[in-house]
Amino acid sequence: MSNEALENLLHEDRAFPPSVEFAAQANATAALYDEAKDDRLAFWDKQAGNLTWDTPWTTTLDWSNAPFARWFDGGKLNVSVNCVDRHVSAGHGDQIAYYFEGEPGDTQTITYSDLLAQVSQAANALESLGVKEGDRVAIYLPMIPEAAVAMLACARIGAVHSVVFGGFSAEALRSRIEDAEAKLVITADGGNRKGKPMALKPAVDEAVAASPSVENVLVVRRTGQDVEWTTKDVWWHELVGSQPTTHEPKAFDAEHPLFILYTSGTTGKPKGILHTTGGYLTQAAYTHRNVFDLKPDTDVYWCTADIGWVTGHSYVVYGPLANRATSLMYEGTPDSPHNGRWWELVQKYGVTILYTAPTAIRTFMKWGDDIPNSYDLTSLRLLGSVGEPINPEAWMWYRSVIGGDRCPIVDTWWQTETGAIMISPLPGVTATKPGSAMIPIPGISMAVLDDEEREVGNGGGGYLVLTEPWPSMLRGIWGDNDRYVETYWSRFAGKYFAGDGSKLDEDGAIWLLGRVDDVMNVSGHRISTTEVESALVSHPAVAEAAVVGANDEMTGQGIVAFVILRSDAEVGDDIVMVLRNHVAQEIGPIAKPRQILVVPELPKTRSGKIMRRLLRDVAENRVMGDVTTLADPTVMNLIGQGLSSANANED
Ligand code: PRX
């Protein structure tokens, strides 16, 4: 973000308090802040008490082995019972848990009783395949109800799921299976995307062929497309469909692992973020109830995230189900079969709460007001945003065109590592400023620090840190405790370093400014520059590569790569296209560089470090910064010449 833009933000004086009517009916009132401040741990005890425990906990927080936290120690519970069984037992079996809408327009309505039967069948099926407590299960599925069922079935039997986004490549899937030593993979023949079946099974076949830990592959039939069949493969409908619809659940320790979710860090190797049971579910449910103001009897809630991301875990599956929400789940993209698809769905299902990403909002803005204006969106009463900073223009558009100037907007800051929302307005309390995530939610403590670990105070900028442990915090990086301590807890002793830059305005509201490390944020998805660089240099024609995230009006950041080709490489005119496809092959289409510049040299310091700052200047068409520390200051001229002949090669 430019300084000028930042200055504008910090002088944002528009503020939107909740309406009197909204405030009067809100789940969360200002008292929640006081309650949490008076006694933070008692506050979290109370939140945990909203779950159903088989054995109550004895210690709220054990931080004696920091930064390895234990929350609600001694307690035992079953996550799937909390998300499903208890609502059925309480007489809500006929309430709809999910309305499902496939991209081609096929629909399902799944009640809590249906969900219980399906999760029980799936749990029985997993057990029949020898999956036991603590085993890892990789899930590689489209957005279909089986994805939630598979996650809950793992939770029910104490298996640890590792969901891998369906847009990731075979290689990305393989490396995640290998790191977690997954015993089972749950996938589908394919999913529907932009009017066509998109195959998933071939990527699984490729990954599994190179993964000795995998004993079976459970395959959902979604598209009906032809699939190759191996001796490890089992059809979901045959195995799961033939199981008993009841399953006796067992209670697990509050600190029993629930899932691993891989996310990009600053090195080429994705980190397996580990979450456990009691604390995670406590905070997922608490935030979902209070930030989204969920009313289980009347709301129709729609979080548009894919289950492959943490938002899909906490706010499509665990938080909403723990709170007995009725949710909409949609398989497809916003532009298929037409650009009004989402608004058509809001109208059809009477969606009351919508939670989505700024990149989607900006896309809709570009498509024009006429599209949403031609649907009835008056059912909406609250809007949410997540994944990247939302620019004030998009915020205002979201508020007026989608929300009809009547819906509070909650801009929610959090991360895969935090497990649940950390910074957000409370919709019935906070007067929101367009573009600010405002303040930490009750129970969460943060600070903005400068390089010397001093609090910057209002009006200052620095690094966002979390100063107290929280229930849904990550418990580590799978198989790499040292990296956990090093990445998050070493920069500022005893404090969690989030990796985000932020500013406090004169009222103490927080403005998130993006990552301060080598992690890019493309359409709300985290991709590390090193990961893309490794993918590029794995191509035989590439000698060296440097990748930067450049500002992008639509996607937040766009990936721009600078590559040096091998002198002996035989390359055609289509080398840029070849390399972009190669990255898609190695990581997935989301990591395809927006632009690849073939350059003769890269700017390096005398010690050989690539000066990304200068490359970012080039990528953002800015006047170049100081080049005096370069080993060879003329390099930037050569790169500049390369730029003028480069094509933008967008697809
Ligand atoms: O940079 C922040 C940005 O997304 C990062 C976390 O990415 P991920 O783990 O993939 O989780 C995304 C969904 C929770 C953060 O370090 N980010 C997330 N939400 C916001 C945000 N940046 C600004 N405003 C937000 N509301």
Side-chain angles (χ1 to χ4, degrees):
M1 192 173 290
S2 71
N3 277 341
E4 196 187 338
L6 185 59
E7 284 306 308
N8 290 343
L9 285 182
L10 294 176
H11 293 115
E12 175 65 70
D13 46 20
R14 285 173 294 192
F16 297 90
S19 66
V20 174
E21 301 80 60
F22 193 100
Q25 59 81 63
N27 292 347
T29 66
L32 214 54
Y33 291 107
D34 300 331
E35 218 185 295
K37 214 159 139 204
D38 282 351
D39 188 341
R40 192 173 65 91
L41 294 181
F43 174 82
W44 284 119
D45 273 339
K46 190 168 159 195
Q47 301 312 324
N50 289 324
L51 301 180
T52 300
W53 297 76
D54 291 67
T55 310
W57 61 98
T58 47
T59 319
T60 308
L61 167 67
D62 177 357
W63 191 231
S64 57
N65 190 28
F68 298 90
R70 297 184 70 84
W71 281 89
F72 310 117
D73 228 0
K76 284 179 190 281
L77 77 170
N78 185 294
V79 166
S80 87
V81 168
N82 272 278
C83 289
V84 190
D85 306 44
R86 64 170 176 158
H87 307 315
V88 177
S89 314
H92 299 289
D94 291 339
Q95 181 181 332
I96 289 161
Y98 290 112
Y99 288 109
F100 170 70
E101 176 104 9
E103 196 191 75
D106 57 314
T107 60
Q108 292 177 42
T109 43
I110 300 168
T111 64
Y112 274 94
S113 294
D114 297 336
L115 192 59
L116 178 56
Q118 292 180 24
V119 171
S120 299
Q121 285 188 307
N124 287 322
L126 296 193
E127 283 177 343
S128 79
L129 292 173
V131 179
K132 294 191 208 49
E133 180 178 337
D135 286 345
R136 274 80 59 205
V137 174
I139 298 178
Y140 187 68
L141 282 170
M143 274 305 276
I144 53 176
E146 286 84 350
V149 172
M151 289 163 76
L152 292 163
C154 287
R156 192 172 189 89
I157 65 170
V160 184
H161 60 68
S162 161
V163 181
V164 179
F165 174 54
F168 275 128
S169 68
E171 172 51 27
L173 174 62
R174 189 206 57 75
S175 68
R176 286 158 174 78
I177 290 174
E178 179 183 87
D179 188 72
E181 296 171 282
K183 191 169 181 179
L184 175 72
V185 180
I186 304 179
T187 189
D189 47 0
N192 297 293
R193 202 177 159 79
K194 297 188 195 283
K196 287 195 294 252
M198 185 193 69
L200 285 173
K201 182 73 171 34
V204 176
D205 291 345
E206 200 184 320
V208 169
S211 306
S213 64
V214 176
E215 292 173 10
N216 287 106
V217 179
L218 194 49
V219 188
V220 176
R221 192 158 67 195
R222 168 66 185 141
T223 59
Q225 66 200 111
D226 286 340
V227 287
E228 300 274 325
W229 208 245
T230 79
T231 50
K232 293 182 176 179
D233 297 342
V234 186
W235 280 115
W236 172 285
H237 60 271
E238 286 178 3
L239 183 70
V240 177
S242 62
Q243 298 295 319
T245 53
T246 56
H247 175 273
E248 195 55 49
K250 199 178 127 191
F252 297 99
D253 285 342
E255 284 298 338
H256 185 75
L258 178 63
F259 66 85
I260 305 168
L261 184 57
Y262 287 85
T263 188
S264 292
T266 51
T267 71
K269 190 173 182 280
K271 302 176 282 197
I273 302 300
L274 176 67
H275 283 286
T276 58
T277 303
Y280 170 79
L281 195 63
T282 294
Q283 196 174 330
Y286 154 72
T287 49
H288 182 261
R289 185 170 53 251
N290 290 296
V291 173
F292 299 117
D293 193 48
L294 184 90
K295 305 285 192 281
D297 295 323
T298 46
D299 276 318
V300 178
Y301 161 86
W302 184 18
C303 167
T304 66
D306 189 280
I307 42 119
W309 311 110
V310 74
T311 311
H313 285 59
S314 304
Y315 299 108
V316 173
V317 181
Y318 293 115
L321 292 177
N323 289 334
R324 184 170 53 85
T326 294
S327 295
L328 171 62
M329 183 189 275
Y330 173 54
E331 181 187 30
T333 55
D335 55 354
S336 194
H338 57 83
N339 290 359
R341 186 71 161 124
W342 277 20
W343 315 122
E344 183 179 74
L345 291 172
V346 168
Q347 175 179 295
K348 174 173 172 184
Y349 292 99
V351 172
T352 57
I353 302 169
L354 177 69
Y355 188 32
T356 193
T359 189
I361 299 164
R362 290 192 293 267
T363 304
F364 295 129
M365 231 172 126
K366 185 180 74 177
W367 289 345
D369 300 9
D370 287 355
I371 299 174
N373 282 348
S374 56
Y375 295 92
D376 180 3
L377 306 182
T378 52
S379 57
L380 288 170
R381 67 180 196 92
L382 185 140
L383 304 173
S385 172
V386 64
E388 52 175 318
I390 178 165
N391 47 311
E393 300 72 34
W395 196 102
M396 289 304 297
W397 184 87
Y398 196 26
R399 181 179 156 87
S400 67
V401 179
I402 304 304
D405 288 318
R406 97 193 147 260
C407 306
I409 296 183
V410 287
D411 174 9
T412 60
W413 179 92
W414 58 294
Q415 308 178 298
T416 305
E417 291 87 341
T418 71
I421 293 169
M422 304 293 283
I423 304 175
S424 166
L426 288 182
V429 180
T430 317
T432 49
K433 302 186 185 192
S436 168
M438 302 306 296
I439 56 170
I441 57 165
I444 298 300
S445 324
M446 56 141 284
V448 181
L449 303 182
D450 66 14
D451 276 316
E452 269 80 54
E453 217 168 313
R454 287 182 301 237
E455 293 213 21
V456 297
N458 290 358
Y463 306 102
L464 177 63
V465 299
L466 301 168
T467 51
E468 299 283 357
W470 62 100
S472 64
M473 67 194 286
L474 76 167
R475 299 303 197 263
I477 295 177
W478 185 256
D480 201 345
N481 283 347
D482 292 346
R483 192 176 174 194
Y484 167 64
V485 176
E486 159 79 28
T487 310
Y488 303 106
W489 301 94
S490 302
R491 177 80 185 252
F492 301 110
K495 300 189 178 78
Y496 173 88
F497 174 60
D500 278 42
S502 61
K503 283 241 173 189
L504 295 174
D505 69 14
E506 49 278 359
D507 303 322
I510 300 151
W511 297 81
L512 278 312
L513 304 175
R515 305 283 308 186
V516 294
D517 52 14
D518 291 331
V519 174
M520 299 175 286
N521 189 328
V522 182
S523 300
H525 300 146
R526 265 162 82 168
I527 301 168
S528 88
T529 53
T530 348
E531 235 177 315
V532 180
E533 285 166 3
S534 314
L536 284 165
V537 293
S538 74
H539 191 277
V542 177
E544 221 179 326
V547 168
V548 296
N551 282 337
D552 187 290
E553 223 178 284
M554 209 45 70
T555 60
Q557 283 190 310
I559 305 176
V560 179
F562 296 81
V563 299
I564 303 178
L565 298 177
R566 284 183 191 282
S567 51
D568 56 354
E570 289 181 17
V571 296
D573 293 343
D574 59 350
I575 182 67
V576 165
M577 197 182 75
V578 168
L579 293 180
R580 291 181 75 231
N581 289 339
H582 179 71
V583 174
Q585 178 78 32
E586 287 292 302
I587 306 174
I590 52 164
K592 245 188 195 184
R594 178 185 82 184
Q595 208 174 4
I596 295 184
L597 304 172
V598 176
V599 293
E601 272 306 333
L602 289 170
K604 290 187 184 154
T605 59
R606 277 175 274 274
S607 60
K609 195 170 168 318
I610 295 173
M611 291 193 69
R612 290 163 195 287
R613 177 172 59 75
L614 296 177
L615 293 175
R616 219 168 287 128
D617 288 341
V618 174
E620 293 176 354
N621 298 319
R622 259 200 310 274
V623 179
M624 207 153 323
D626 182 14
V627 295
T628 51
T629 52
L630 284 180
D632 175 3
T634 61
V635 162
M636 291 316 292
N637 297 337
L638 292 173
I639 293 176
Q641 284 158 20
L643 181 69
S644 52
S645 60
N647 54 340
N649 56 58
E650 310 240 13
D651 48 15

